[in-house]
Amino acid sequence: MEAPYESADFSALTPLAGPAPAGEAPAGPATGGDAPAAKKKTRARRILGRLMEERGQVAAPPPSSDGEAPDPVAERGAELGAGVADADRRRGRGAVSNAAGRYEPAARILFDDGWQSLEDLPPFRTEVTEERARTIITRNQSPDIAFDRSINVYRGCEHGCVYCFARPTHAYHGLSAGLDFETRLFVKPDAPELLARELSHPAYKPRTIALGTNTDPYQPIEKQYGITRRVLEVLREFGHPVGIVTKSGLVTRDLDILSDMARLGLVKVAVSVTTLDHKLARAMEPRAASPGRRLETIRRLADAGIPTAILTAPLIPALNDMEIERLLDAGKEAGATEAGYVTLRLPLEIADLFREWLVTHVPDKARRVMSLVRDMHGGKDYDSAFGTRGKGIGPYAWTVGRRFEIAARRLGLAGRGLRLSTEHFRRPAQAGQQLSLF
């Protein structure tokens, strides 16, 4: 079976209509020390307005009565910023807004009522809710991913990667794919017990389980709950293969379990490294490990004899795709034996969230990035077609793929991934259960 990380990404991954953000002065001449800030906001709105026009969500404004075409952001730009949260409230978070989930009947928009009451709003803090699930193994039949089952012990992810493709799943809880996704988390404390029960079923047939394909199993709250470690203990007891994808150095906490499993060919780990630029990483993935820490994680895993891959995902055109060769070189030097990549995916709410992020953090590159993203998806922000959703189509996507292939082959990172073993699978005897004679 191919490695689960070859198709798993953390790609995850804009604004809603509404009035101007509370407490923000309308676009126009600024005075005194506020001039640079006002000019930056006006410029960002102008760029965001043009992006929305190109996307086809807003028509070009008609000329004014004096014959001069109005600024596309003067009318639309204020609306686009309605969901943006104050920078102090969202410090250390990836998304810049918290728009209502797509299934909600109404949208709630913050506005200043004239009493500066928004200044009293508290910052976004992490809240954790325990969830009692009935099953823990999720199945899929997607033809373009290399695993048919996975486990996610957490919903939402505090790493806050703005591009995370799992963000839209928070809408099923009536929550936002924006800041809610990284601050209102759900944990499944009985996941290890559920897993043991499912693996013990007589009809269960073992195949590699992917751990961390939706949200990171080693995100910060794992330090407190330790559920991922307990899941690994169950898998080790049953002799069941697992493929892990993570951005966190916390995975090295479990080297004892992983080393035992590696000796039997039961585990491999893919560490996602999106960029070597610390500033970019901090903006895109604010609570994930630094690039240097991730490379050190690869080194420690490899030194412990655990098959380790570097996952360059997502590759974002004109933002981090120029680092392909450097990323693979660094991964190889750290001890990686395989490599995989996924291009940026922008399903559902993520397209707008990512567009907001671009305008906030890299406004000079916003139009170029989104233009190339659409070129890679047939003129759309995203195309969910199997086979191409994670790689893209067209000349630019082809070039990215060939660059990755050439670099991976040069470094010995290309080829079919390590196949994990199922021959060690066994069902431990339960208390009071009669032992088999055979």
Side-chain angles (χ1 to χ4, degrees):
M1 181 176 179
E2 294 182 2
Y5 53 79
E6 290 180 356
S7 298
D9 62 358
F10 286 84
S11 330
L13 348 162
T14 336
L16 283 184
E24 181 174 309
T31 60
D34 294 334
K39 181 180 294 185
K40 184 176 181 181
K41 289 179 180 178
T42 301
R43 183 164 171 267
R45 287 182 173 184
R46 184 176 297 112
I47 294 171
L48 191 50
R50 287 199 297 265
L51 286 171
M52 299 302 285
E53 279 188 33
E54 293 171 3
R55 191 184 184 204
Q57 290 188 347
V58 56
S64 60
S65 57
D66 59 4
E68 183 176 333
D71 186 334
V73 179
E75 300 174 0
R76 178 62 173 169
E79 298 178 1
L80 295 176
V84 174
D86 181 76
D88 289 334
R89 292 189 65 211
R90 57 180 168 82
R91 188 180 305 278
R93 305 294 180 177
V96 300
S97 67
N98 204 40
R102 63 187 180 279
Y103 299 123
E104 300 309 294
R108 295 174 177 82
I109 299 175
L110 294 176
F111 70 95
D112 193 341
D113 59 4
W115 294 94
Q116 290 77 46
S117 56
L118 294 185
E119 297 177 1
D120 299 329
L121 291 176
F124 286 90
R125 300 192 184 281
T126 302
E127 302 175 11
V128 181
T129 301
E130 292 191 357
E131 174 183 335
R132 299 295 169 179
R134 290 180 294 179
T135 61
I136 196 61
I137 299 178
T138 301
R139 314 262 179 176
N140 78 82
Q141 297 179 339
S142 300
D144 60 346
I145 58 178
F147 56 89
D148 67 350
R149 62 199 70 183
S150 59
I151 294 175
N152 290 284
V153 299
Y154 302 111
R155 294 182 190 268
C157 186
E158 198 174 2
H159 280 165
C161 305
V162 68
Y163 51 73
C164 180
F165 74 94
R167 283 182 177 272
T169 61
H170 245 44
Y172 299 130
H173 292 275
L175 299 173
S176 172
L179 289 163
D180 279 349
F181 178 80
E182 48 196 285
T183 59
R184 301 182 65 176
L185 312 180
F186 296 83
V187 59
K188 304 172 186 177
D190 55 351
E193 292 75 22
L194 291 173
L195 176 60
R197 186 181 68 188
E198 292 181 52
L199 297 183
S200 297
H201 194 283
Y204 181 82
K205 297 185 182 302
R207 296 186 67 181
T208 299
I209 285 178
L211 186 60
T213 57
N214 207 41
T215 58
D216 200 311
Y218 287 102
Q219 61 176 286
I221 60 172
E222 167 64 14
K223 293 180 182 179
Q224 173 185 351
Y225 288 92
I227 299 175
T228 297
R229 181 176 176 85
R230 291 165 53 209
V231 164
L232 290 176
E233 290 174 339
V234 172
L235 293 171
R236 177 177 61 178
E237 183 181 11
F238 278 80
H240 196 291
V242 60
I244 302 171
V245 181
T246 184
K247 285 184 172 73
S248 175
L250 185 60
V251 65
T252 57
R253 177 201 63 186
D254 297 334
L255 283 177
D256 55 336
I257 301 176
L258 298 175
S259 296
D260 290 345
M261 297 182 74
R263 281 191 285 270
L264 299 176
L266 296 176
V267 68
K268 56 184 173 183
V269 179
V271 179
S272 177
V273 187
T274 51
T275 178
L276 298 179
D277 182 336
H278 285 250
K279 183 177 179 181
L280 178 59
R282 183 56 58 201
M284 283 201 305
E285 310 151 338
R287 300 201 177 193
S290 67
R293 179 70 187 280
R294 295 184 219 181
L295 292 172
E296 177 60 24
T297 298
I298 293 176
R299 181 173 292 106
R300 291 189 61 186
L301 290 168
D303 289 346
I306 299 162
T308 308
I310 179 170
L311 178 61
T312 57
L315 291 177
I316 305 172
L319 195 61
N320 72 341
D321 63 332
M322 67 288 295
E323 297 186 66
I324 291 176
E325 292 79 8
R326 292 178 58 217
L327 287 168
L328 294 183
D329 285 339
K332 176 66 175 180
E333 182 180 356
T337 56
E338 300 177 26
Y341 84 97
V342 180
T343 57
L344 179 67
R345 295 168 55 186
L346 298 176
L348 302 171
E349 294 99 324
I350 306 174
D352 286 340
L353 288 169
F354 187 69
R355 187 176 280 103
E356 280 181 340
W357 181 90
L358 286 173
V359 171
T360 300
H361 293 281
V362 286
D364 291 341
K365 298 181 179 180
R367 297 188 68 190
R368 176 62 173 164
V369 170
M370 291 308 301
S371 175
L372 290 173
V373 167
R374 287 190 290 270
D375 285 347
M376 297 171 68
H377 292 283
K380 299 181 290 185
D381 287 344
Y382 178 62
D383 184 354
S384 61
F386 290 134
T388 60
R389 56 182 179 171
K391 304 298 183 188
I393 59 174
Y396 200 89
W398 183 89
T399 301
V400 168
R402 299 298 73 73
R403 285 177 55 204
F404 181 92
E405 180 182 348
I406 292 170
R409 185 180 296 118
R410 170 176 57 84
L411 296 168
L413 299 174
R416 190 174 182 82
L418 172 68
R419 298 175 67 88
L420 299 180
S421 172
T422 58
E423 64 181 21
H424 301 286
F425 179 74
R426 64 189 183 282
R427 296 180 178 87
Q430 304 297 316
Q433 178 181 348
Q434 182 176 353
L435 297 177
S436 173
L437 297 176
F438 305 98

